[in-house]
Amino acid sequence: MTDQQWSFGGDLAVERIGYGTMKLTGWPRGERPGRDDALAILRRAVELGVNHLDTSHYYARDGVAANELIRTALHPYPADLVIVTKVGALVEGDDITRPPEEQRGLTPDGLRRGVEANLRSLGVDRLDVVNLRMGDSEHTDAPFEAALETLAALRDEGLIRYLGVSNVGPDQVARARAVTDIVCVQNLYNIAARDDDPLVDACAEAGLAYVPFFPVGGYRPLTADHLTAVADRLGATVPQVALAWLLARSSNIVLIPGTGSREHLEQNVAAGRLRLTEHDLALLAA
């Protein structure tokens, strides 16, 4: 292990810069690359040393599905490739907008169907890591412990190796750990959205990976004078500096930046080679 690696569960070692596949499908909105380009991006990611892919069977739009692209591009998978997927509030597509009692993706049947759909579409017998994805802040009263117990039972069946949680608060992380072992937390976090600062530190203390989604702002790309100043000094891009800041923020942060561009993919991976000075970090914290 190096400072540029993390190990899920102590035995699934990954580089700290991975790749999120959502943008390959344009889900839930936005442009996407053509099929040949999408397959080439996935293969290029592996060539660059990426061995951690983030996906889900609900990353699909207009007949283009992330899991199918992954399987076509990379199966049989490299021995060190770790594929992390998710099930839960979005398993039915619009579940995230439903009241808790109507969120079918969080029912035992919905969770099992989600796991089985990921297994089938990825062409594997066991999923490396499955995140339980909860609904947004106004839909957080769903049966959290019961959902985790369902996934733990599926893990005991041999269908899942490790569990994580996504879109959760500190209280839910504590509750999750009281129910079963988890290896990661996946939440919104970047240099401009730092509400999870205490949770990042708590995860580090507990030996859990913290995996930020929208690490460079998502649908609202990051813009700030201090980011631009550091990027200009380093001859880098603002997204590269934002990713380098996350890597410097805490050693348990594991990145999954998504892109539908091969050029941006290569820039994202190259961000792991940036070294921010103490002056840079102070400027970025201002």
Side-chain angles (χ1 to χ4, degrees):
M1 298 290 295
T2 71
D3 63 354
Q4 292 301 304
Q5 293 180 318
W6 181 265
S7 181
F8 291 111
D11 61 351
L12 293 181
V14 297
E15 299 299 316
R16 287 180 64 206
I17 296 185
Y19 176 63
T21 63
M22 186 176 74
K23 287 190 175 181
L24 294 181
T25 70
W27 184 91
R29 62 185 184 272
E31 297 181 356
R32 60 172 174 253
R35 179 176 176 80
D36 289 346
D37 287 339
L39 297 175
I41 288 168
L42 285 163
R43 291 169 180 144
R44 181 58 177 157
V46 171
E47 288 174 359
L48 292 170
V50 170
N51 64 345
H52 170 205
L53 301 181
D54 179 80
T55 187
S56 177
H57 70 294
Y58 59 69
Y59 291 170
R61 200 185 83 188
D62 301 329
V64 178
N67 285 357
E68 187 275 330
L69 291 171
I70 292 170
R71 183 173 182 174
T72 299
L74 301 174
H75 196 278
Y77 300 119
D80 67 340
L81 183 65
V82 175
I83 301 177
V84 178
T85 189
K86 61 185 69 66
V87 296
L90 287 178
V91 75
E92 298 291 348
D94 63 347
D95 253 9
I96 194 170
T97 65
R98 295 175 178 271
E101 65 274 11
E102 297 179 11
Q103 289 184 356
R104 292 166 290 169
L106 287 164
T107 64
D109 180 63
L111 292 166
R112 177 176 283 276
R113 286 189 291 109
V115 167
E116 290 176 347
N118 278 289
L119 288 165
R120 183 169 58 252
S121 54
L122 288 168
V124 295
D125 296 324
R126 181 172 66 170
L127 299 169
D128 293 326
V129 182
V130 173
N131 283 316
L132 173 63
R133 205 286 190 187
M134 299 303 292
D136 284 347
S137 57
E138 66 271 27
H139 299 101
T140 56
D141 294 328
F144 182 63
E145 282 84 357
L148 274 171
E149 289 169 357
T150 295
L151 290 181
L154 293 171
R155 182 187 57 197
D156 292 344
E157 287 183 32
L159 303 183
I160 301 169
R161 191 165 188 170
Y162 293 118
L163 296 176
V165 288
S166 178
N167 215 38
V168 293
D171 175 66
Q172 287 174 306
V173 173
R175 288 161 58 194
R177 297 183 68 210
V179 171
T180 189
D181 291 333
I182 62 171
V183 299
C184 56
V185 174
Q186 186 180 113
N187 275 5
L188 168 65
Y189 184 77
N190 57 55
I191 194 170
R194 299 186 56 180
D195 289 348
D196 260 10
D197 267 338
L199 183 54
V200 171
D201 295 333
C203 286
E205 185 175 349
L208 304 178
Y210 184 96
V211 186
F213 59 76
F214 294 159
V216 295
Y219 299 110
R220 297 180 180 178
L222 301 173
T223 56
D225 289 344
H226 55 276
L227 277 167
T228 301
V230 174
D232 288 346
R233 185 189 71 77
L234 293 173
T237 67
V238 165
Q240 284 179 312
V241 172
L243 294 175
W245 179 85
L246 285 165
L247 292 176
R249 167 65 179 83
S250 184
S251 62
N252 69 317
I253 289 182
V254 180
L255 302 180
I256 49 168
T259 180
S261 160
R262 176 168 167 159
E263 178 184 5
H264 290 162
L265 167 71
E266 293 176 350
Q267 291 174 354
N268 290 341
V269 174
R273 298 192 291 271
L274 292 181
R275 293 295 177 265
L276 302 179
T277 66
E278 292 299 322
H279 176 72
D280 292 334
L281 295 171
L283 183 62
L284 293 171

